[in-house]
Amino acid sequence: MSATGLGTAPCRFAHYFVVCGIDTETGLEPDELAGENFEQSPLRRTFKSKVLAHFPETIEWNPFDQDAVNMLCMPKGLSFRTQVDNRESQFHSYLITREDGSRTYGFVLTFYEEVTSKQICTAMQTLYQMHHAEHSGSVCASSSCSMDSLASSLDEGDATSLNKLHCCSSYNMSRDTLYVSKALCLITPLPFMQACRKFLTQLHRAVSSQQPPPLPLESYIHNILYEVPLPPPGRSLKFHGVYEPIVCQRPSPSELPLADYSLKQVFELLGVENLVQVFTCVLLEMQILLYSQDYQRLMTVAEGITTLLFPFQWQHVYVPILPASLLHFLDAPVPYLMGLQSKEGTDRSKLELPQEANLCFVDIDNHFIELPEDFPQFPNKLEFIQEISAVLLQFGIPPEGSLHSSESTTQLKSLALHDLVSDKKNGNLPGDALAVFELLQGNATLERLQALAKRTGVTVGRVPTLGGNMVKEKDGRLQCEEEELRDATLNVQVREVFANRFSQMFADYEAFVIQSATDLESWLTNREQMHNFDKASFLSDQPEPYLPFLSHFIETQMFATFIDNKIMSQWEDKEPLLKVFDSRIEKMRLYNVRIPNLCSSNYQKSTILKESAQSIEQRLMKIDHTAVHPHLLDMKIGQGKYEQGFFPKLQADVLAAGPTNNKWASRTGTAQRRKDRLRQHSEHLGLDNDLREKYMQEARSLGKNLRQPKLSDLSPAVIAQTNWKFVEGLLKECRMKTKRMLVEKMGREAVELGHGEANITGLEENTLIASLCDLMERIWSHGLQVKQGKSALWSHLLQYQEREEKLEQTAVSPVLLGPERRKSETGLTMPFLRVSLFQDMRHIQNVSEIKTDVGRARGWIRLSLEKKLLSQHLKQLLSNQALTKKLYKRYAFLRCEEEKEQFLYHLLTLNTVDYFCFTSVFTTIMIPYRAVIIPIKKLSNAITTSNPWVSVSGELGDSGVMQIPKNLLEMTFDCQNLGKLTTAQIGHDNSGLLAKWLVDCVMVRNEITGHTYKFPCGRWLGKGVDDGSLERILIGELIIPCADEDLSKQCRTPPLQRSPAQTRRISITSPAGRNSKPNAVQIQEAIGEAVNNIVKHFHKPEKERGSLTILLCGENGLVSALEQFFHHGFKSSRIFQKNVFVWDFIEKAVAYFEMTDQIGDTVEGMESFRSMCKIFCHYVNAINVTPRNIGKDGKLQFLVCLGARDHLLLQWIPLLVECPLITTMYEEYALLRDHLMVNSLIRVLQTVHEFNITLESSLVKGITL
């Protein structure tokens, strides 16, 4: 290797030229790693291939990896053919991803060469004879029927097929010619797929042609390795193959990056709809498995889809062609994009995959995709598909795709062109003129002769040999170039449509990037703890239809890396894709100066399709650079000898090094040295490079482990090390996910500790939990060896259930009965709730809405998380070590004891917060509830003689009125999921001798989730007692069990929907409340707090608000606060008389407004005052005539709620203040008689009137206005 070759490697078009094939010295070696099947005929088996030659030896920038190159050039190893088999050459490409994420591309042409070694032919015949001897007995028994069925499946007239059938699995040295595969490969730094394909095709044509090539093959290989540079950005380059020039172009830094794989082919193979779905799965970092018989199809689809990700980049395992020896890599418990070659006749059902819960399976050959369950659709999917389809239709490609259409399309186009050429009228040229045109096309000298002949009147005859051949060649080349240009134009236009979607969706992303670090070193050091993107604010700015997709997408590694690159761009050069994307957003802002916000769900099409296509067209039409022509090398006499059909043994000494007198090489070498000096200088100025690289690797490896398996070493030790990396990666991901879930959920405390935003939206929470479900499926799939169904976790649970139930039948006591002890203040207990792993499984199995194993596993995780039993259940599941050993390989995550314990610990931390992830997702399922009524026995009868009833309401609906069985205080009922419970109505019909009933509270429990709600009452139900109410509306509060499980000492984490609970409010008019009257300051504070909570409620996103009923009628609600205001200074107690209620004052005020004649004399603006009075009287009378047996305090509650809903409270309070009755019914110090306090109250209530309040049906039922 010369210094020149080393120095200029990064600027060379190609890094290596490789020849792979059979090593005649070692002979036939079975490829055991490829999963060899010795049942197959020897001609159908795979044998080890070898790198026969590669030039140059190695390059500093890209060291030659012999094992990886050999494996990817010939993924199935060597294959043999005889003269009856199809021996067409095949092209495929591959890529190798290095640890730093950079890529090297390989382009391979595989052809068949006759085997000249007698030793190999003899070995093949011996293998065949052994195979025949072993199988002749078994074959004889079944051959007749199988041959008949095979023969019947062939076309009747296909004699060659029948002949093939007879000979396909046999080989006889004397009769047959043996051929073996050989691969020619170019390894390049950039994916110039079309140019490399042309070069290799011409090289193969030179080998198979009857005529030797113009120069020895070494000249062309030396030329492309050492004398053809990479085209500079924004320029095109022409270099020479064996027969024809080859053109390639490279986009400028401001354009979309280079992508040479045909998107036309991708759309033909998949169709637009399927492609958009697969693209969405890639964006959401699911596991994507491509499946095809053709290696090049795998590569085309993989590269095509990842190209469309701009400005994002796939960050995980990326192996578009998975060699047979690496099939165990499908076990990887990480997001991956891999391509698997399908064997002929193998359909999807026979393919056993380790994990399918989060798998997107793409059967390319059959135009079929299998999607994961419940994944969000891409925003504006329909309009997006329409825009892509419009571009495709311009190029004559059907949007639904067309299998194998590329060949037929080309044939149709060539036929059309032939008709065009044969129609001489088409170009408006007469016969002579056409003859001259054909002769002179592209020839300057002959053009001058034609002009001279025209002036002198001489006619030019047709020159059939020269002219005919020339026009044929020229037409072919033009057609080829035209086809290339069309493909390049289509590629860039489709990519612009995709890029435009991201530009629209993330137009304002910079506003939400959090720049918290002062320098790069501190940022890299604290990367894991940093809050880099304000996700909640970003999502709150997005259109509603985008949220399901965006909430998932901003959690991905590719988005995190994109934001990391943005943050790092303040200290170092911008990452190229980010640079292009930012400049596009800048341009978009300039065009949209008048539009304040770009975030709109209105679909905006790309406007730069023509502009982007023109730049490519200009580069291809006008070549910027031409490389040095291939030339004779200083070779020894007799070398470079040509033999048709055989690729020659190349002369190593002329190909090992590049030219020393190459001006381009020395120039780029100098430039490279200058770059090296600058880089070293910047390293000295900045932080230590090794340290920086370490931080970078750690920062970017969050959530990902490997980009590509090590192909160069497949020893058990390396495979074990890879699996260990997976185990570490899964544990790290679990730690990060649980930490994020806790931080988001803990709210204010977390913010005080410096962990970012307080509020988590339900959408974000759902995304995080879905992500946890996905992680658990990947953990349970790792190292799995026995699997039933698509969900590894559910399969494990079922097998555990089956084993334990057998043991349970023989045992006396059940496996796990963790009773919940719910003890009330009166000693009455809520019956124990049976808590067990199997019980929760049965709950999920009974949910008819869940149809699949994956759905059941996710439902079970959500239920266990809501019940705070996830860690406990999984610990129990994994305690059966015999079952775990049976199901999992030794290296599996679940068999790594220390990591498993840490994993369960991380899940245990989730018990510190409350989730409703089961209740809020399965909204339509039937749920059994249990209700218990707890009376105050000291002051009343335990049982009432009347007929009691109860009705329970929640955020998702209500149960309707249900009769409680007589003489019982408990009932169970099944009802569609009510969600979080908010109110309970309790009442009776006042019949019998013991009708009066003092109820302490009502308890209601969801029998699936175990959530128990307490509805405090503390009031009488009955005529002639308390306020005479026969029914009451009670507001619920969720009971959070504590260590001592005593309800009187509860420590509750209040749900997000309400303010922190204080001691239970006792009605001022109730027996217990007569002596507890708050003072004026306390009342003011209570009103302010209640209004504040309502304002906060409306400032949350609509979907996250929860129940407003609690904020209106709950313990610290607006009704309670206003009730205290009205009771202040109220003369309620009367000696020897019944108590007087605020409602009595309101009724008297209504009577006064309706009866008095002095309304006009008391207030100016009589008309408006009269209308206000009329409305007030109308509302009070409507409440009084309701058929419901609501007491006087209940009626006041209704009035306050209706006044708040209809924005009338501000007008009603002054009416009551002006009523003369106030002086007889209120003390002089009462707040209602203090004008300053009333004005203050009105000002506070004004804030509530800005919102549209919707009341629960239980609060307004029966009231007709």
Side-chain angles (χ1 to χ4, degrees):
M1 229 8 248
S2 73
T4 315
L6 280 166
T8 61
C11 300
R12 294 199 321 230
F13 179 85
H15 285 180
Y16 294 100
F17 179 79
V18 187
V19 183
C20 294
I22 190 164
D23 185 355
T24 49
E25 289 177 14
T26 55
L28 293 180
E29 285 186 85
D31 192 354
E32 289 160 15
L33 282 171
E36 189 46 66
N37 180 8
F38 289 101
E39 296 293 312
Q40 289 180 316
S41 122
L43 281 174
R44 293 288 165 264
R45 293 178 197 167
T46 53
F47 297 91
K48 281 184 184 174
S49 60
K50 191 176 177 184
V51 173
L52 302 178
H54 71 277
F55 307 102
E57 189 62 36
T58 191
I59 289 171
E60 182 191 342
W61 309 99
N62 182 13
F64 188 73
D65 188 339
Q66 185 157 309
D67 293 324
V69 170
N70 179 39
M71 200 180 282
L72 291 166
C73 282
M74 305 189 103
K76 284 192 301 185
L78 297 170
S79 54
F80 286 88
R81 299 277 187 272
T82 61
Q83 73 281 357
V84 296
D85 295 313
N86 173 24
R87 301 193 307 282
E88 279 182 26
S89 63
Q90 283 187 319
F91 174 83
H92 81 269
S93 51
Y94 64 83
L95 64 80
I96 294 174
T97 311
R98 289 191 287 273
E99 283 184 12
D100 64 353
S102 60
R103 292 174 179 180
T104 300
Y105 291 82
F107 302 96
V108 186
L109 188 85
T110 308
F111 63 98
Y112 287 88
E113 200 174 70
E114 188 181 331
V115 178
T116 52
S117 164
K118 280 191 178 177
Q119 182 191 351
I120 286 166
C121 293
T122 310
M124 182 57 76
Q125 181 151 341
T126 307
L127 281 172
Y128 179 70
Q129 286 165 349
M130 286 165 65
H131 175 78
H132 185 70
E134 281 172 24
H135 292 83
S136 56
S138 59
V139 169
C140 288
S142 61
S143 62
S144 56
C145 62
S146 62
M147 288 293 280
D148 289 345
S149 62
L150 269 169
S152 64
S153 69
L154 296 164
D155 295 333
E156 286 176 13
D158 196 347
T160 57
S161 295
L162 284 166
N163 185 31
K164 262 186 209 174
L165 181 68
H166 182 257
C167 303
C168 69
S169 60
S170 68
Y171 171 66
N172 187 319
M173 272 177 77
S174 57
R175 180 192 68 203
D176 299 316
T177 310
L178 190 64
Y179 294 88
V180 68
S181 55
K182 183 171 265 189
L184 306 177
C185 171
L186 264 184
I187 295 176
T188 64
L190 290 176
F192 290 109
M193 198 266 292
Q194 305 289 359
C196 292
R197 185 176 198 156
K198 283 181 189 172
F199 180 81
L200 292 171
T201 306
Q202 290 184 41
L203 214 55
H204 176 246
R205 197 170 120 203
V207 172
S208 54
S209 170
Q210 292 179 353
Q211 297 295 321
L215 294 169
L217 294 185
E218 283 88 344
S219 295
Y220 302 104
I221 294 164
H222 183 275
N223 179 252
I224 200 164
L225 282 178
Y226 301 112
E227 296 171 332
V228 176
L230 276 177
R235 299 297 175 91
S236 53
L237 170 78
K238 182 166 83 173
F239 64 95
H240 295 268
V242 182
Y243 298 107
E244 291 162 7
I246 298 166
V247 175
C248 60
Q249 60 86 30
R250 191 172 167 192
S252 71
S254 62
E255 294 175 68
L256 294 176
L258 175 68
D260 211 21
Y261 285 84
S262 170
L263 287 174
K264 171 191 169 188
Q265 197 184 348
V266 179
F267 283 105
E268 284 172 342
L269 289 168
L270 295 181
V272 181
E273 173 91 28
N274 281 350
L275 185 130
V276 169
Q277 295 285 60
V278 176
F279 175 70
T280 309
C281 289
V282 174
L283 283 169
L284 298 177
E285 295 186 340
M286 294 174 173
Q287 293 177 322
I288 293 93
L289 184 62
L290 308 175
Y291 194 61
S292 172
Q293 283 190 44
D294 188 316
Y295 289 129
Q296 186 55 14
R297 282 185 177 179
L298 293 172
M299 189 71 184
T300 301
V301 171
E303 280 292 287
I305 288 174
T306 50
T307 296
L308 297 173
L309 293 174
F310 170 87
F312 307 103
Q313 291 168 288
W314 180 256
Q315 297 294 319
H316 298 276
V317 175
Y318 183 60
V319 192
I321 296 171
L322 189 68
S325 54
L326 284 177
L327 287 184
H328 66 274
F329 218 75
L330 288 170
D331 195 17
V334 290
Y336 61 67
L337 177 47
M338 297 201 229
L340 184 63
Q341 196 209 22
S342 57
K343 290 176 182 172
E344 218 165 331
T346 307
D347 63 356
R348 167 73 178 95
S349 59
K350 291 176 187 167
L351 188 68
E352 285 201 11
L353 298 167
Q355 41 197 331
E356 299 174 79
N358 208 34
L359 182 75
C360 171
F361 182 80
V362 186
D363 188 341
I364 297 170
D365 300 340
N366 294 315
H367 204 79
F368 162 77
I369 63 169
E370 200 176 283
L371 295 165
E373 291 180 26
D374 308 326
F375 83 102
Q377 296 296 323
F378 193 73
N380 295 115
K381 183 182 154 191
L382 195 63
E383 296 98 320
F384 186 44
I385 286 174
Q386 284 169 351
E387 187 181 4
I388 301 165
S389 302
V391 174
L392 294 178
L393 287 168
Q394 285 175 13
F395 291 86
I397 299 165
E400 65 278 4
S402 51
L403 269 179
H404 317 298
S405 66
S406 43
E407 295 89 349
S408 54
T409 318
T410 313
Q411 284 169 6
L412 282 168
K413 283 178 183 165
S414 61
L415 280 170
L417 276 161
H418 182 263
D419 293 343
L420 201 69
V421 171
S422 60
D423 177 12
K424 306 223 187 287
K425 293 173 190 172
N426 230 340
N428 299 320
L429 296 170
D432 285 348
L434 185 66
V436 172
F437 173 72
E438 285 176 344
L439 169 67
L440 302 182
Q441 208 169 17
N443 190 317
T445 312
L446 292 179
E447 274 179 25
R448 290 199 294 276
L449 284 171
Q450 160 64 1
L452 182 64
K454 198 174 179 182
R455 285 201 301 275
T456 54
V458 178
T459 58
V460 180
R462 193 180 175 95
V463 186
T465 52
L466 174 64
N469 289 342
M470 192 200 297
V471 79
K472 191 175 177 184
E473 260 182 54
K474 195 76 179 170
D475 272 357
R477 195 176 299 167
L478 278 171
Q479 184 188 330
C480 178
E481 285 171 8
E482 197 177 304
E483 191 70 26
E484 244 181 79
L485 181 60
R486 279 171 64 82
D487 274 4
T489 308
L490 168 67
N491 264 23
V492 77
Q493 290 199 354
V494 167
R495 290 172 70 204
E496 284 294 353
V497 172
F498 278 79
N500 178 57
R501 289 312 305 129
F502 289 122
S503 300
Q504 300 288 344
M505 280 194 279
F506 294 98
D508 290 334
Y509 86 95
E510 285 180 74
F512 303 98
V513 175
I514 300 168
Q515 307 274 14
S516 49
T518 51
D519 59 273
L520 180 59
E521 187 172 359
S522 66
W523 182 81
L524 288 168
T525 312
N526 301 303
R527 167 67 188 85
E528 277 194 32
Q529 286 75 39
M530 290 286 185
H531 198 69
N532 291 335
F533 190 73
D534 186 353
K535 293 174 182 176
S537 302
F538 173 76
L539 289 174
S540 67
D541 258 24
Q542 303 310 308
E544 186 77 17
Y546 290 13
L547 294 179
F549 170 80
L550 285 176
S551 63
H552 280 75
F553 179 66
I554 62 173
E555 296 295 333
T556 60
Q557 184 61 40
M558 72 174 81
F559 185 75
T561 305
F562 174 75
I563 297 300
D564 286 354
N565 288 336
K566 180 67 184 174
I567 291 170
M568 286 192 292
S569 68
Q570 59 189 319
W571 300 296
E572 54 181 39
D573 288 346
K574 257 191 192 178
E575 194 268 335
L577 295 187
L578 180 68
K579 201 171 185 177
V580 178
F581 187 67
D582 281 354
S583 67
R584 283 167 171 246
I585 288 178
E586 201 57 48
K587 199 183 287 183
M588 219 166 74
R589 285 211 188 95
L590 290 172
Y591 290 142
N592 292 292
V593 166
R594 294 178 189 175
I595 302 169
N597 188 7
L598 294 167
C599 291
S600 155
S601 59
N602 295 334
Y603 191 84
Q604 294 175 13
K605 289 186 177 181
S606 176
T607 54
I608 56 168
L609 297 186
K610 284 183 182 173
E611 181 189 319
S612 56
Q614 278 167 0
S615 53
I616 285 190
E617 199 172 325
Q618 283 164 7
R619 282 198 292 273
L620 286 175
M621 299 308 276
K622 185 191 171 191
I623 306 301
D624 298 304
H625 303 282
T626 304
V628 176
H629 278 250
H631 50 84
L632 275 170
L633 301 171
D634 185 13
M635 291 171 67
K636 292 168 188 169
I637 297 169
Q639 289 192 320
K641 191 180 168 189
Y642 173 77
E643 191 179 348
Q644 188 190 347
F646 293 92
F647 192 79
K649 186 174 180 183
L650 299 169
Q651 187 177 334
D653 53 351
V654 295
L655 291 177
T660 51
N661 60 347
N662 187 344
K663 289 178 187 174
W664 159 74
S666 59
R667 188 170 67 248
T668 48
T670 311
Q672 189 61 41
R673 281 194 292 275
R674 195 183 307 121
K675 276 186 189 172
D676 287 348
R677 278 200 303 275
L678 279 168
R679 195 182 72 226
Q680 285 162 7
H681 179 63
S682 66
E683 281 171 13
H684 288 305
L685 287 174
L687 56 141
D688 176 67
N689 205 41
D690 291 341
L691 178 71
R692 184 178 177 283
E693 190 57 37
K694 174 178 170 275
Y695 286 142
M696 285 294 295
Q697 286 302 321
E698 283 178 4
R700 288 176 173 171
S701 68
L702 288 175
K704 70 172 185 284
N705 306 287
L706 296 171
R707 293 172 187 272
Q708 182 168 312
K710 267 193 175 174
L711 307 178
S712 52
D713 185 358
L714 289 172
S715 64
V718 169
I719 291 170
Q721 188 186 358
T722 303
N723 277 305
W724 184 246
K725 279 187 182 175
F726 284 145
V727 169
E728 286 181 326
L730 287 169
L731 186 62
K732 187 175 186 179
E733 196 176 341
C734 178
R735 188 181 78 242
M736 298 298 290
K737 276 187 171 36
T738 50
K739 181 181 174 184
R740 172 89 199 280
M741 287 168 75
L742 284 171
V743 164
E744 296 285 12
K745 195 77 174 156
M746 284 168 77
R748 195 176 297 128
E749 291 172 46
V751 176
E752 285 166 8
L753 294 170
H755 289 302
E757 290 302 309
N759 48 349
I760 177 172
T761 65
L763 186 73
E764 277 183 282
E765 182 180 305
N766 202 35
T767 303
L768 292 173
I769 290 166
S771 173
L772 180 71
C773 293
D774 163 42
L775 171 67
M776 289 181 64
E777 276 294 357
R778 285 191 278 120
I779 286 173
W780 256 258
S781 300
H782 184 236
L784 184 64
Q785 56 189 3
V786 180
K787 184 181 169 204
Q788 299 166 354
K790 285 194 173 183
S791 168
L793 173 59
W794 190 250
S795 166
H796 193 171
L797 283 165
L798 287 175
Q799 291 186 61
Y800 179 73
Q801 185 183 34
E802 192 182 327
R803 280 191 169 209
E804 294 297 319
E805 280 180 346
K806 281 178 189 170
L807 293 171
E808 226 176 69
Q809 286 164 11
T810 56
V812 181
S813 60
V815 177
L816 177 70
L817 286 176
E820 278 193 19
R821 293 166 293 282
R822 300 239 180 260
K823 186 184 174 188
S824 83
E825 289 156 356
T826 59
L828 197 91
T829 57
M830 185 69 125
F832 289 159
L833 180 70
R834 180 182 169 129
V835 177
S836 84
L837 170 63
F838 303 133
Q839 191 66 36
D840 288 345
M841 282 183 71
R842 287 186 200 110
H843 285 317
I844 298 298
Q845 286 162 329
N846 293 336
V847 175
S848 58
E849 285 85 347
I850 307 177
K851 311 287 184 192
T852 65
D853 284 355
V854 174
R856 289 183 191 102
R858 289 179 180 178
W860 182 84
I861 292 168
R862 285 175 176 276
L863 177 58
S864 303
L865 189 60
E866 185 163 326
K867 293 178 82 167
K868 303 190 178 187
L869 291 170
L870 184 59
S871 182
Q872 183 184 322
H873 280 349
L874 292 176
K875 189 173 184 178
Q876 186 189 341
L877 174 68
L878 296 170
S879 65
N880 188 328
Q881 293 188 349
L883 178 62
T884 311
K885 280 180 182 174
K886 178 193 163 190
L887 297 180
Y888 289 92
K889 295 169 189 165
R890 182 63 198 89
Y891 63 76
F893 182 94
L894 295 178
R895 289 188 64 186
C896 299
E897 289 303 317
E898 196 177 321
E899 283 68 30
K900 183 176 75 180
E901 286 301 317
Q902 287 185 53
F903 161 69
L904 292 172
Y905 170 76
H906 289 314
L907 291 182
L908 186 63
T909 61
L910 296 176
N911 289 4
T912 56
V913 290
D914 302 328
Y915 283 104
F916 290 86
C917 48
F918 179 83
T919 306
S920 60
V921 168
F922 298 99
T923 54
T924 58
I925 64 172
M926 295 300 288
I927 286 184
Y929 290 92
R930 182 180 296 274
V932 176
I933 291 97
I934 299 173
I936 299 177
K937 289 179 182 174
K938 291 174 189 173
L939 302 172
S940 122
N941 310 305
I943 304 291
T944 177
T945 54
S946 56
N947 299 301
W949 56 267
V950 70
S951 173
V952 182
S953 300
E955 290 178 359
L956 300 175
D958 68 79
S959 64
V961 171
M962 298 171 296
Q963 292 298 324
I964 301 168
K966 264 199 171 182
N967 300 324
L968 286 177
L969 295 171
E970 185 183 325
M971 67 179 292
T972 56
F973 59 96
D974 285 351
C975 176
Q976 186 170 310
N977 186 359
L978 300 174
K980 293 179 190 173
L981 302 187
T982 51
T983 62
Q985 295 167 67
I986 186 172
H988 62 74
D989 62 359
N990 205 42
S991 61
L993 293 170
L994 302 170
K996 296 169 185 173
W997 201 19
L998 181 57
V999 175
D1000 177 52
C1001 66
V1002 176
M1003 309 272 280
V1004 181
R1005 183 172 69 204
N1006 178 324
E1007 293 291 272
I1008 291 181
T1009 64
H1011 285 318
T1012 305
Y1013 293 83
K1014 185 178 182 182
F1015 298 86
C1017 178
R1019 302 288 296 269
W1020 285 92
L1021 290 167
K1023 290 285 184 191
V1025 64
D1026 205 339
D1027 65 345
S1029 180
L1030 290 184
E1031 67 174 270
R1032 295 202 182 275
I1033 298 169
L1034 312 177
I1035 308 303
E1037 55 181 36
L1038 178 65
I1039 292 174
I1040 309 293
C1042 273
D1044 61 1
E1045 308 243 353
D1046 191 335
L1047 291 183
S1048 61
K1049 298 173 186 173
Q1050 286 287 327
C1051 60
R1052 286 194 302 275
T1053 302
L1056 290 174
Q1057 285 80 0
R1058 59 192 174 89
S1059 57
Q1062 295 165 10
T1063 52
R1064 177 161 63 82
R1065 173 179 65 87
I1066 298 171
S1067 170
I1068 288 164
T1069 51
S1070 71
R1074 284 176 189 150
N1075 301 320
S1076 58
K1077 293 183 179 179
N1079 60 36
V1081 175
Q1082 289 171 326
I1083 291 170
Q1084 278 182 296
E1085 282 175 359
I1087 292 170
E1089 186 66 26
V1091 169
N1092 199 19
N1093 286 335
I1094 292 171
V1095 172
K1096 281 182 190 172
H1097 169 89
F1098 281 102
H1099 277 95
K1100 289 180 185 174
E1102 196 172 340
K1103 282 187 176 179
E1104 321 308 332
R1105 288 176 187 170
S1107 171
L1108 185 60
T1109 307
I1110 291 167
L1111 301 182
L1112 286 172
C1113 308
E1115 292 177 7
N1116 304 300
L1118 186 64
V1119 172
S1120 160
L1122 287 176
E1123 192 180 59
Q1124 288 174 7
F1125 186 89
F1126 283 118
H1127 269 286
H1128 188 262
F1130 184 66
K1131 300 173 184 176
S1132 58
S1133 300
R1134 299 284 187 275
I1135 299 168
F1136 308 120
Q1137 289 179 29
K1138 283 186 190 173
N1139 284 344
V1140 182
F1141 293 85
V1142 172
W1143 189 253
D1144 294 321
F1145 165 61
I1146 285 170
E1147 281 181 329
K1148 285 181 180 178
V1150 166
Y1152 170 77
F1153 293 141
E1154 285 176 341
M1155 300 296 293
T1156 186
D1157 296 324
Q1158 282 111 24
I1159 290 174
D1161 300 336
T1162 55
V1163 175
E1164 292 177 16
M1166 188 177 70
E1167 282 302 317
S1168 65
F1169 192 81
R1170 186 179 284 141
S1171 74
M1172 274 301 102
C1173 291
K1174 209 171 181 181
I1175 292 168
F1176 179 67
C1177 296
H1178 174 61
Y1179 271 76
V1180 172
N1181 291 332
I1183 290 167
N1184 269 331
V1185 298
T1186 178
R1188 295 172 70 177
N1189 290 304
I1190 296 289
K1192 291 178 180 178
D1193 278 352
K1195 289 175 181 178
L1196 177 63
Q1197 178 175 295
F1198 278 3
L1199 186 67
V1200 173
C1201 288
L1202 291 169
R1205 183 192 73 181
D1206 299 336
H1207 303 154
L1208 294 169
L1209 284 177
L1210 299 181
Q1211 296 156 3
W1212 290 349
I1213 290 169
L1215 285 182
L1216 294 171
V1217 171
E1218 294 297 330
C1219 179
L1221 292 168
I1222 197 168
T1223 52
T1224 58
M1225 299 194 76
Y1226 278 89
E1227 304 286 357
E1228 201 170 323
Y1229 63 83
L1231 290 174
L1232 200 60
R1233 292 181 67 178
D1234 184 334
H1235 284 276
L1236 284 173
M1237 293 299 288
V1238 169
N1239 288 336
S1240 172
L1241 172 66
I1242 288 169
R1243 278 198 304 275
V1244 171
L1245 290 178
Q1246 266 174 340
T1247 54
V1248 175
H1249 283 212
E1250 293 169 14
F1251 307 111
N1252 292 319
I1253 290 172
T1254 306
L1255 298 177
E1256 230 179 78
S1257 59
S1258 61
L1259 297 178
V1260 291
K1261 194 163 61 179
I1263 298 171
T1264 313
L1265 292 168

